[in-house]
């Protein structure tokens, strides 16, 4: 196919980009996505039955597709939502679900690339960026935030954001950002920090990335309410004391984030996903497969040795159980002995007091 035709086909199809949003209920995740896409992409959570409030809600991963037009460039955006995240006491299952979803997308393309004849309609669903929404507590990262970002970072470009940042004052927000970045550095979490190369990148790119890096974690506000300002309809949040203009960089980092993920850094996020994250996963996966194949080749001598090892292990476990029983019995005997000695001591003290008590003069004895 001629190059010109391939370019036309690519332009008609649009740029494919997949964005995952992760955050607890009430962190502003849904409103942010709807503001980003300028339409209702994610439905708001319905008010549940109070009688069922005690029941834990499992995470459900829901991809939603939407077509965007960014300055004449069509973007086929897939938003992967994670409702139910963080609602359980133990979130280990939630962590596994999200990470396994990311890895399944890698597995799908790995299987497709291994085919002799590939499917021309195959869709690459690898997640190119994860927006991790941090609630505006004003304190620091929670253990849940640290653990999940640690697990996500080897599989996706994680960008930490503070949702509903208008609930913090400017000084509170600045201090909160500092504490979050200190935690990220302390726990060595490899987030997407808008990387640049001073030798290869031009000065404009370096400056832009330095400014974006200084904003991390980006503070965002979303709104599905519009007003007319200076003859233009803009999204705002209206309060009794005034308005928060979503697209005003003096009010929040929404536009800087939107411009980065859907514009200036879209190709970089895709390149890192393809060349670094996926290749790392692919190497790990194929290495494990080779190792499993080697371990699966069992010979008669190996079977005999394995049988002996199993018997030895069984004997060792039985001996440990016997030792535990002996120790438990010995502890019980010692406890009983101590109790008897204590009672004997009590009796001796009682006898001593009785013997030391003088007899009454009126006693006939």
């Amino acid at each position: 196919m001629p190059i010109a035709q391939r370019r036309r086909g690519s332009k008609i199809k649009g740029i494919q980009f997949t964005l995952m949003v992760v955050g607890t209920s009430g962190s502003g995740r849904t409103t942010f996505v709807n503001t980003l896409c300028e339409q209702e992409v994610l439905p708001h959570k319905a008010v549940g039955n109070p009688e069922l409030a005690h029941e834990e809600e499992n995470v459900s991963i829901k991809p939603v597709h939407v077509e965007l037009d960014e300055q004449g460039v069509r973007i086929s955006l897939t938003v992967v939502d994670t409702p139910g995240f963080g609602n359980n006491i133990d979130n280990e299952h939630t962590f596994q679900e999200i990470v396994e979803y990311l890895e399944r997308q890698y597995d799908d393309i790995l299987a497709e690339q291994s085919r002799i004849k590939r499917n021309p309609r195959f869709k690459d669903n690898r997640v190119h960026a994860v927006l991790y929404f941090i609630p505006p507590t004003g304190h620091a990262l929670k253990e849940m935030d640290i653990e999940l970002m640690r697990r996500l970072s080897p599989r996706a470009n994680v960008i930490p954001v503070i949702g509903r940042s208008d609930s913090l004052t400017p000084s509170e927000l600045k201090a909160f950002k500092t504490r979050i970045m200190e935690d990220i550095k302390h726990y060595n979490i490899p987030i997407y920090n808008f990387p640049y190369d001073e030798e290869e990148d031009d000065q404009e790119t370096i400056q832009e990335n330095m400014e974006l890096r200084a904003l991390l974690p980006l503070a965002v506000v979303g709104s599905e309410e519009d007003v007319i300002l200076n003859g233009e309809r803009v999204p705002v949040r209206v309060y009794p004391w005034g308005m928060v203009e979503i697209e005003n960089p003096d009010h929040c980092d929404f536009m800087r984030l939107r411009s980065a993920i859907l514009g200036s850094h879209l190709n970089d996020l895709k390149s890192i996903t393809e060349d670094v994250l996926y290749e790392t996963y692919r190497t790990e996966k194929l290495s494990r497969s080779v190792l499993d194949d080697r371990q699966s080749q069992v010979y008669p001598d190996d079977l005999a040795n394995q049988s002996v090892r199993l018997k030895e292990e069984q004997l060792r476990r039985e001996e440990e159980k016997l030792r535990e029983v002996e120790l438990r019995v010995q502890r019980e005997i010692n406890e009983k002995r101590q109790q008897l000695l204590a009672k004997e001591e009590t009796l001796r003290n009682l006898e001593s007091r009785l013997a030391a008590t003088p007899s009454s003069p009126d006693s006939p004895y």
Side-chain angles (χ1 to χ4, degrees):
M1 180 184 295
I3 294 177
Q5 290 185 18
R6 286 204 300 269
R7 285 178 177 169
R8 284 198 296 271
S10 176
K11 187 174 181 180
I12 293 172
K13 188 177 181 181
I15 300 173
Q16 292 186 355
F17 189 77
T18 303
L19 176 70
M20 175 181 276
V21 287
V22 180
T24 56
S25 298
S27 60
R29 186 187 71 250
T30 299
T31 305
F32 170 84
V33 170
N34 293 341
T35 309
L36 179 77
C37 300
E38 300 178 351
Q39 57 185 292
E40 184 175 342
V41 176
L42 302 180
H44 289 275
K45 183 179 179 181
V47 178
N49 186 349
E51 296 179 357
L52 303 177
H54 65 284
E55 296 183 359
E56 293 189 343
E57 179 185 0
N58 292 326
V59 66
S60 57
I61 300 176
K62 300 178 179 180
V64 182
H65 305 285
V66 60
E67 297 292 328
L68 302 179
D69 190 320
E70 289 293 308
Q71 298 178 352
V73 178
R74 289 188 59 187
I75 298 178
S76 180
L77 178 66
T78 300
V79 178
V80 183
D81 192 20
T82 55
F85 166 73
N87 291 346
N88 298 337
I89 297 174
D90 182 3
N91 289 285
E92 177 62 30
H93 176 71
T94 300
F95 297 163
Q96 293 177 359
E97 283 284 319
I98 297 174
V99 174
E100 286 175 1
Y101 177 87
L102 296 174
E103 293 181 345
R104 279 199 302 273
Q105 313 316 310
Y106 287 152
D107 288 335
D108 289 345
I109 196 164
L110 179 58
E112 178 63 23
Q113 290 176 349
S114 302
R115 295 177 184 273
I116 297 175
K117 186 176 181 181
R118 299 185 184 181
N119 180 8
R121 297 183 178 275
F122 175 81
K123 185 178 180 184
D124 181 2
N125 290 316
R126 287 175 294 185
V127 175
H128 302 113
V130 174
L131 296 185
Y132 189 86
F133 281 77
I134 302 168
T137 60
H139 303 303
L141 289 178
K142 297 179 181 178
E143 183 179 350
M144 178 179 67
D145 303 323
I146 295 167
E147 183 60 28
L148 184 56
M149 283 199 288
R150 263 180 166 175
R151 298 194 191 190
L152 292 176
S153 294
R155 300 290 179 249
N157 294 297
V158 177
I159 304 175
V161 299
I162 301 172
R164 300 173 59 193
S165 63
D166 56 330
S167 61
L168 299 171
T169 65
S171 59
E172 289 173 339
L173 182 60
K174 183 179 179 180
F176 191 34
K177 284 189 173 190
T178 300
R179 283 193 290 272
I180 290 173
M181 293 309 296
E182 287 174 352
D183 285 345
I184 287 173
K185 183 178 180 180
H186 176 75
Y187 292 103
N188 196 26
I189 303 172
I191 62 171
Y192 180 80
N193 63 346
F194 302 96
Y196 58 85
D197 190 321
E198 294 183 353
E199 295 182 357
E200 295 186 4
D201 293 330
D202 58 68
Q203 193 59 39
E204 183 179 352
T205 300
I206 294 173
Q207 183 64 30
E208 180 184 11
N209 285 11
M210 288 176 64
E211 292 175 1
L212 287 168
R213 183 179 293 186
L215 292 174
L216 286 171
L218 290 100
V220 297
V221 182
S223 175
E224 296 170 68
E225 180 181 358
D226 294 341
V227 298
I228 303 296
L229 287 178
N230 300 323
E232 293 185 4
R233 184 173 293 276
V234 295
V236 298
R237 292 192 73 85
V238 181
Y239 294 99
W241 45 262
M243 292 187 301
V244 175
E245 299 173 31
I246 309 303
E247 298 179 353
N248 188 336
D250 293 331
H251 292 188
C252 70
D253 303 327
F254 174 84
M255 284 305 294
R256 298 299 300 270
L257 178 60
R258 189 183 197 279
S259 299
I261 60 177
L262 297 181
S264 59
H265 289 72
L266 184 147
N267 288 327
D268 188 51
L269 291 165
K270 295 189 69 170
S271 296
I272 292 177
T273 302
E274 171 72 34
D275 301 333
V276 180
L277 301 172
Y278 169 65
E279 283 301 320
T280 301
Y281 178 80
R282 175 179 171 275
T283 302
E284 293 174 0
K285 185 85 171 181
L286 294 178
S287 299
R288 286 198 301 268
S289 299
V290 172
L291 183 60
D292 292 341
D293 290 341
R294 289 176 179 174
Q295 292 177 345
S296 64
Q297 296 177 2
V298 183
Y299 299 97
D301 291 343
D302 294 331
L303 287 173
N305 293 333
Q306 185 177 3
S307 177
V308 171
R309 285 196 298 271
L310 289 173
K311 290 180 180 179
E312 290 176 348
E313 180 67 17
Q314 186 176 1
L315 287 172
R316 186 183 62 79
R317 290 178 180 175
E318 290 177 357
E319 289 174 356
E320 288 180 354
K321 288 181 180 179
L322 286 173
R323 280 198 296 273
E324 289 177 1
V325 171
E326 290 176 357
L327 290 172
R328 187 168 64 251
V329 171
Q330 188 63 41
R331 282 196 300 270
E332 292 176 356
I333 293 173
N334 290 336
E335 289 175 0
K336 294 292 184 183
R337 182 180 291 116
Q338 293 296 326
Q339 291 174 3
L340 288 172
L341 290 173
K343 289 181 178 178
E344 289 177 357
E345 182 68 21
T346 303
L347 287 172
R348 281 197 296 272
N349 292 335
L350 182 59
E351 290 174 352
S352 299
R353 286 199 299 272
L354 289 172
T357 303
S359 300
S360 172
D362 296 333
S363 174
Y365 302 100

